[in-house]
Amino acid sequence: MFIDRAKIFVKGGSGGNGMSSFRREKFVPKGGPSGGDGGRGGNVVLIVDPNVNTLMDFRYKRKFVADSGANGQSSNMHGKGAEDLLVKVPPGTLVKDELTGEIVGDLTRENQQLIVGNGGRGGRGNARFVTSVHRAPTFAEKGEPGSERSLLLELKLLADVGLVGYPSVGKSSILSRVSAAKPEIAAYHFTTLTPVLGVVSLEEGSNFVLADIPGLIEGAHEGVGLGHDFLRHIERTRVIIHVLDISGIEGRDPIEDYHKINAELKLYNERLAQRPQLIAANKMDLPDSQANFSRIAAYMKQEGHEIYPVSAATGEGLPELMRRAFKLLQEYVEEPEAVDEVKVYEAKPEAGFTIRRDDDGAYVVEGKDIEKLVAMINFENDEGVRRFQLIWRRLGIDEALKERGIQEGDTVRIRDMEFEFRL
């Protein structure tokens, strides 16, 4: 089964907790704090594996959580950092943030890696908080939580040359003739329901990847027929072979087919209409094909396209067509891939936090720094609580809550922690 879209959830590992301990050594009268730091949490990393062909694996497993770092130990021993969680994806995988639609990465090269879930740093042990005026701190930090997000994966096949055209014009038959690929072939529309790739070998060192893109019809750019499901696979092809049924056996005019398919490509992506395009006049072995070819060849010459008379049934003309496609590939100048998705940038408030009212009337304080602070503070330790209160006042949260009209006894919520406000 060919799967070319998937949704996954990733979460980096949390950092290990810092340790609060004191040296108890003979002949060392004032040992002092000796708590070590926690280890860093593991990252979730996508890595390109050429042996993976589809996103099938993500159909059954969609949640990927990296391991947490080890906790710090006494005697200033730091906890061990966790190993990264490597998740294999096929070449051509486009990664998007589900919430914003922003492109996170485009994975095309073998062993290319992308960190999609950052591990949290380890919490600091009490030895890290010693100052000239505070010689024996008893508090230590908890580990920082790892980042989490939902991602959309899209697979765009990495083919050099793409076969396009109406259903049943012979694309699959051509692919089976020139490569070892064995697509399903039958005399009805949409026989090919998934893109099929094959390697065309012309001579030693001269080969390229040819893709049979499932049949396009009028309205494909709006999702009609197979539509969007497979139009995206044409985007990475550098040369297009436009296959026409030159015999007209189905009652369609090949010239009309040519214009309709090109219009769909242009409406889906303007850049596709600018790719080098060869015309394959297929089914030359059928009656009336020769007469039609003369008319259509003259028209394509006016359009500026090279046309090749071929027959998928007999193999006639296919070697010449493949050699010309390979030559165009060698002459192709790579164009930068445009990113037409709108990236969303969220302006960060100057105060570093925002305040809103929840449905139950609680005041919800949100902000990266304050949420991280709450996650890493050990509220069971009195010194840790005092440190939290000091930073709370330093950030100006008290004043901001009063400006919003908070009253004595109201609830303040940060992440999953709730506090009762006192004036």
Side-chain angles (χ1 to χ4, degrees):
M1 183 180 296
F2 184 87
I3 303 293
D4 65 350
R5 278 182 173 176
K7 174 183 173 181
I8 63 173
F9 172 82
V10 298
K11 185 179 187 303
S14 298
N17 297 332
M19 179 73 174
S20 178
S21 67
F22 290 84
R23 293 171 65 186
R24 299 283 194 275
E25 295 182 33
K26 192 176 182 180
F27 308 121
V28 181
K30 296 181 180 180
S34 64
D37 300 344
R40 186 172 186 84
N43 299 317
V44 180
V45 183
L46 301 183
I47 181 170
V48 176
D49 184 348
N51 296 315
V52 179
N53 299 316
T54 75
L55 300 175
M56 168 73 79
D57 292 344
F58 301 106
R59 189 179 183 189
Y60 306 104
K61 183 176 180 181
R62 300 183 180 182
K63 187 174 182 179
F64 298 89
V65 180
D67 291 334
S68 298
N71 295 334
Q73 301 295 323
S74 58
S75 300
N76 289 306
M77 291 190 295
H78 296 338
K80 182 181 179 181
E83 296 289 335
D84 290 343
L85 174 60
L86 299 181
V87 181
K88 296 178 181 179
V89 296
T93 300
L94 192 67
V95 186
K96 296 181 180 179
D97 186 286
E98 184 192 22
L99 184 63
T100 65
E102 178 183 352
I103 292 180
V104 178
D106 192 0
L107 303 174
T108 58
R109 303 185 308 275
E110 182 176 353
N111 294 323
Q112 182 180 355
Q113 297 187 12
L114 175 68
I115 297 177
V116 291
N118 289 289
R121 71 171 176 86
R124 291 173 291 180
N126 67 332
R128 297 284 295 275
F129 294 101
V130 175
T131 67
S132 59
V133 295
H134 194 182
R135 306 293 296 176
T138 62
F139 65 90
E141 288 179 330
K142 292 183 178 180
E144 178 187 6
S147 66
E148 59 183 61
R149 69 203 309 187
S150 290
L151 299 172
L152 299 176
L153 306 182
E154 288 186 4
L155 178 59
K156 294 182 180 181
L157 297 182
L158 295 177
D160 300 308
V161 180
L163 293 168
V164 302
Y166 260 79
S168 296
V169 296
K171 301 186 298 298
S172 298
S173 299
I174 290 175
L175 181 65
S176 66
R177 269 280 181 180
V178 300
S179 75
K182 300 300 178 186
E184 184 179 353
I185 300 171
Y188 54 85
H189 288 185
F190 298 120
T191 306
T192 306
L193 298 179
T194 63
V196 181
L197 275 69
V199 177
V200 178
S201 298
L202 303 177
E203 54 191 44
E204 187 176 352
S206 299
N207 54 64
F208 60 88
V209 179
L210 179 66
D212 168 19
I213 308 298
L216 304 180
I217 61 175
E218 196 169 3
H221 73 283
E222 296 176 337
V224 177
L226 299 179
H228 288 160
D229 286 342
F230 298 111
L231 266 169
R232 72 173 68 89
H233 295 302
I234 308 175
E235 292 186 50
R236 296 189 191 274
T237 60
R238 293 177 285 172
V239 174
I240 294 175
I241 296 179
H242 195 145
V243 183
L244 299 177
D245 180 354
I246 204 71
S247 69
I249 196 171
E250 293 194 9
R252 297 196 312 267
D253 182 3
I255 293 179
E256 288 184 12
D257 287 359
Y258 160 80
H259 283 295
K260 287 178 179 178
I261 294 297
N262 275 337
E264 292 304 315
L265 296 179
K266 186 174 182 180
L267 288 169
Y268 177 74
N269 188 332
E270 182 78 28
R271 293 152 59 89
L272 288 177
Q274 301 170 6
R275 300 280 163 83
Q277 189 172 130
L278 298 173
I279 307 299
N282 192 28
K283 304 187 181 181
M284 287 297 296
D285 54 301
L286 297 181
D288 300 326
S289 293
Q290 194 62 51
N292 286 338
F293 179 77
S294 300
R295 174 177 66 90
I296 295 169
Y299 184 83
M300 292 302 166
K301 186 176 181 181
Q302 293 178 355
E303 290 284 300
H305 291 306
E306 301 175 40
I307 185 169
Y308 289 81
V310 301
S311 170
T314 66
E316 173 193 350
L318 291 177
E320 293 81 5
L321 175 62
M322 295 300 112
R323 282 194 289 268
R324 181 56 181 153
F326 180 72
K327 190 171 188 305
L328 288 178
L329 278 175
Q330 291 180 306
E331 298 171 353
Y332 183 80
V333 178
E334 196 71 39
E335 53 184 323
E337 187 166 346
V339 178
D340 49 15
E341 283 85 353
V342 177
K343 292 188 177 181
V344 178
Y345 295 92
E346 183 178 353
K348 292 184 178 179
E350 292 183 4
F353 61 87
T354 58
I355 300 174
R356 62 177 177 85
R357 294 295 296 273
D358 216 341
D359 294 337
D360 60 359
Y363 289 81
V364 181
V365 181
E366 296 173 318
K368 183 178 179 181
D369 292 338
I370 187 64
E371 290 180 20
K372 183 190 297 186
L373 176 66
V374 167
M376 299 179 73
I377 286 291
N378 181 5
F379 287 97
E380 296 178 1
N381 181 280
D382 290 340
E383 280 196 57
V385 172
R386 286 195 292 273
R387 178 170 178 265
F388 172 73
Q389 293 170 335
L390 179 64
I391 298 175
W392 172 284
R393 288 193 294 271
R394 189 182 301 160
L395 290 174
I397 297 177
D398 265 351
E399 290 74 11
L401 286 169
K402 291 175 183 177
E403 289 177 4
R404 289 294 303 269
I406 195 169
Q407 300 296 320
E408 177 92 12
D410 284 348
T411 299
V412 179
R413 184 177 297 126
I414 304 176
R415 287 174 60 94
D416 54 353
M417 293 289 293
E418 291 188 354
F419 308 93
E420 186 176 321
F421 186 78
R422 295 295 180 187
L423 296 173

